[in-house]
């Protein structure tokens, strides 16, 4: 844990977290009317900053909220936040809501968005957990049709994730019924992207409106291509998920994590697979390069 009180950014100023308050009529509180980003920081260097800022723009466009800052301003704010907080490795959280206004669903006019940013110590899963892998369950993806927007209204994700916790598992692998082509297909996890290994080939669902375009997802695909791992980005059927030799979850905080049990049954031989081990090495090497400023 950080030795000092975390410093956050709110309403245009940096302040200790215990002094940060928002009015109850903030639309983030009332409607979940906002978007967010989570950016890992290694050795005080933000990981894939440009990509995160670009995804933030995509989310803002998705909810029709004007970006309150230029890319250069965001970079400056994030740099300042990292510098004001303890820890070489941090996790930066930033959220923008449509601001404070009388409760009415329609967009308010002339209201300033609320910008909140905080940094927490970065905690990656333990080596023990990565050595055994985690359990997951499957569930029907019952979310809306704009899962590409990183919206703060996460109630479906919260409920889905709790299903996993209740089952003693770490993640929910979401399957969605599609009309064309008919069948149930993999979308993502409640808080991560999901990869499938079938016959030595890495399969990943396409980045469309049914999943969050993960920054880690992109890194994993780039590393696969760079290291001659066969990789196919296409619809992945429920059957392919259930008969996978390996399943991985990816996210900024979990990095690449093997899922070794699905719905109580072992995935492959129930241990982290050979392709995961390769990918994890490539990922760690990449992280080292980021730490050295060469990412
Ligand atoms: N999908 C969902 C629903 C998520 O919440 C996350 C993590 N925020 C991801 C995918 C992974 O995205 P990233 O690799 O950018 O953390």
């Amino acid at each position: 844990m950080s030795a000092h009180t975390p410093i956050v950014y709110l309403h245009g100023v940096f302040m200790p977290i215990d002094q940060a308050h928002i009015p109850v009529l903030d639309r983030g509180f009332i409607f979940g009317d906002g978007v967010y980003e989570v950016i890992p920081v290694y050795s005080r260097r933000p990981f894939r900053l440009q990509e995160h800022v670009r995804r933030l723009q995509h989310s803002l466009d998705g909810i029709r909220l004007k970006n309150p800052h230029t890319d250069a301003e965001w970079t400056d704010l994030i740099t300042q936040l990292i510098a004001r907080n303890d820890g070489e490795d941090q996790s930066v959280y930033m959220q923008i809501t449509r601001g404070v206004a009388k409760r009415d669903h329609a967009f308010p006019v002339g209201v300033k968005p609320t910008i909140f940013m905080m940094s927490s110590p970065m905690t990656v899963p333990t080596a023990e957990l990565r050595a055994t892998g985690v359990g997951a369950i499957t569930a029907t993806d019952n979310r809306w049709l704009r899962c590409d927007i990183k919206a703060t209204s996460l109630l479906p994700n919260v409920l889905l994730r709790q299903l996993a916790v209740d089952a003693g598992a770490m993640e929910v692998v979401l399957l969605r019924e599609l009309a064309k082509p008919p069948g149930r297909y993999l979308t993502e996890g409640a808080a991560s992207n999901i990869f499938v290994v079938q016959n030595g080939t890495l399969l990943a669902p396409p980045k469309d409106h049914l999943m969050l375009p993960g920054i880690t997802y992109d890194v994993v695909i780039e590393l696969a291509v760079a290291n001659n791992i066969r990789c196919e980005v296409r619809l992945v059927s429920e059957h392919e998920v259930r008969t996978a030799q390996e399943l991985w979850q990816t996210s900024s905080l979990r990095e690449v994590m093997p899922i070794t049990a699905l719905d109580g049954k072992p995935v492959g031989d129930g241990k982290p697979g050979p392709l995961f081990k390769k990918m994890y090495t490539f990922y760690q090497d990449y992280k080292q390069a980021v730490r050295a400023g060469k990412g």
Side-chain angles (χ1 to χ4, degrees):
M1 278 304 280
S2 161
H4 300 107
T5 308
I7 300 298
V8 304
Y9 177 85
L10 181 67
H11 304 316
V13 272
F14 289 95
M15 63 184 84
I17 193 164
D18 48 7
Q19 288 172 27
H21 303 287
I22 56 151
V24 290
L25 285 181
D26 194 287
R27 291 175 62 98
F29 179 60
I30 297 285
F31 296 122
D33 184 4
V35 297
Y36 74 107
E37 271 300 320
V38 178
I39 308 175
V41 176
Y42 301 116
S43 301
R44 296 196 173 269
R45 293 182 205 276
F47 187 75
R48 297 235 155 175
L49 181 56
Q50 267 188 334
E51 288 81 352
H52 281 281
V53 172
R54 205 175 304 139
R55 186 171 66 182
L56 178 66
Q57 181 68 58
H58 176 81
S59 297
L60 288 166
D61 290 344
I63 69 162
R64 297 165 58 188
L65 183 57
K66 188 172 175 293
N67 195 334
H69 288 303
T70 62
D71 290 3
E73 287 166 351
W74 282 122
T75 301
D76 180 52
L77 286 173
I78 292 163
T79 307
Q80 282 197 58
L81 184 75
I82 295 167
R84 285 167 195 260
N85 280 284
D86 288 345
E88 291 298 293
D89 291 4
Q90 303 178 21
S91 159
V92 167
Y93 174 88
M94 47 201 282
Q95 154 166 354
I96 302 152
T97 79
R98 212 180 300 275
V100 181
K102 178 174 169 292
R103 188 182 181 283
D104 179 4
H105 288 61
F107 296 173
V109 178
V111 167
K112 261 176 61 175
T114 304
I115 303 168
F116 170 62
M117 297 169 62
M118 66 178 170
S119 175
S120 318
M122 175 80 173
T123 45
V124 291
T126 60
E128 292 77 41
L129 197 60
R130 226 182 289 274
T132 54
V134 297
I137 59 169
T138 56
T140 297
D141 191 343
N142 58 5
R143 301 171 303 163
W144 68 335
L145 297 175
R146 288 305 308 272
C147 296
D148 55 315
I149 299 174
K150 204 162 167 61
T152 57
S153 24
L154 284 170
L155 192 51
N157 303 62
V158 167
L159 294 173
L160 287 164
R161 177 75 207 289
Q162 191 59 34
L163 285 180
V165 174
D166 294 346
M170 199 64 99
E171 183 55 300
V172 186
V173 173
L174 299 174
L175 301 163
R176 199 188 273 262
E177 191 80 40
L178 295 186
K180 243 170 57 186
R184 258 157 62 98
Y185 294 89
L186 170 67
T187 54
E188 59 178 338
S192 59
N193 291 114
I194 304 290
F195 286 83
V196 169
V197 176
Q198 278 278 3
N199 306 316
T201 301
L202 192 57
L203 307 180
K207 286 199 284 187
D208 59 14
H209 60 294
L210 299 180
M211 68 169 238
L212 185 81
I215 304 295
T216 323
Y217 167 103
D218 282 344
V219 174
V220 165
I221 291 178
E222 283 171 31
L223 290 173
V225 170
N227 292 285
N228 300 315
I229 293 173
R230 273 196 315 278
C231 181
E232 291 177 16
V233 176
R234 59 161 174 83
L235 288 176
V236 181
S237 71
E238 175 172 9
H239 179 74
E240 287 173 312
V241 172
R242 294 202 184 278
T243 58
Q245 285 91 59
E246 298 184 34
L247 277 182
W248 311 343
Q249 67 167 163
T250 67
S251 81
S252 292
L253 302 183
R254 310 210 127 237
E255 303 179 330
V256 190
M257 175 62 93
I259 295 172
T260 44
L262 188 67
D263 292 333
K265 300 190 193 84
V267 176
D269 63 2
K271 298 199 196 83
L275 215 52
F276 161 75
K277 288 182 186 155
K278 269 194 189 175
M279 179 55 71
Y280 189 62
T281 309
F282 299 141
Y283 196 88
Q284 290 309 306
D285 290 349
Y286 181 70
K287 239 172 85 175
Q288 267 320 109
V290 172
R291 287 187 188 284
K294 294 185 224 129

